[in-house]
Amino acid sequence: MLSRKILNIPSIKLPVILKGKSFINLLSEITANKKIIIFGVPGSFTPTCSEKHLPGYIQLSNQFKNMGIDDIFCLAVNDVFVLKAWLSSFTNGNLINGIADGNGELTKAMDLEMDYSGNFMGIRCKRFALIANNNLVKKIYIEKQGEFLVSSAEYVLNNFVTEL
């Protein structure tokens, strides 16, 4: 696990998907006055993201809600149409909200860029998970390249501190 300095959720206008509906808004407005989780994936429909990362958060979403999490967001450097299709391809995918960071603006602002050009995917988001309260990032877990450990729903849930 890599810890990072505490930062705020940036005020960047992005497509957001809430309960299957998409709109453009400032992310910091959507997440204000809430305790949230944002987990980032390199890409929609990619193997680890589709088989483990997103399904884990869907499966444990009620447990996170019972611990005081208001919303769970999945960030991908994909356009809103791809992210929306991916979320809706899962039973209960609407339990997870989407952040379609198609231009990578949020990814860049949070210093979470990773070059996946070797896999013909270009610049994407590192695999990560964060917990924020009223837009203040309290904890962030960033994976080493090629790993899926600390950003999993199970890991975040098992290391969740209710005082966050």
Side-chain angles (χ1 to χ4, degrees), residues 79-99:
D79 63 67
V80 69
F81 306 106
V82 169
L83 184 56
K84 191 173 180 180
W86 185 51
L87 291 173
S88 68
S89 73
F90 286 84
T91 302
N92 295 323
N94 64 339
L95 295 174
I96 307 301
N97 300 311
I99 302 169

Side-chain angles (χ1 to χ4, degrees), residues 52-53 56-58 60 64 148 151-158:
K52 298 177 183 177
H53 214 171
Y57 281 95
I58 292 171
L60 297 177
F64 282 116
F148 176 65
S151 67
S152 72
E154 295 81 7
Y155 186 91
V156 173
L157 185 66
N158 289 335

Side-chain angles (χ1 to χ4, degrees), residues 84-120:
K84 191 173 180 180
W86 185 51
L87 291 173
S88 68
S89 73
F90 286 84
T91 302
N92 295 323
N94 64 339
L95 295 174
I96 307 301
N97 300 311
I99 302 169
D101 191 20
N103 294 332
E105 294 175 69
L106 180 60
T107 298
K108 288 176 194 163
M110 295 185 71
D111 194 28
L112 291 168
E113 295 174 283
M114 177 71 72
D115 188 349
Y116 286 89
S117 296
N119 294 328
F120 302 98

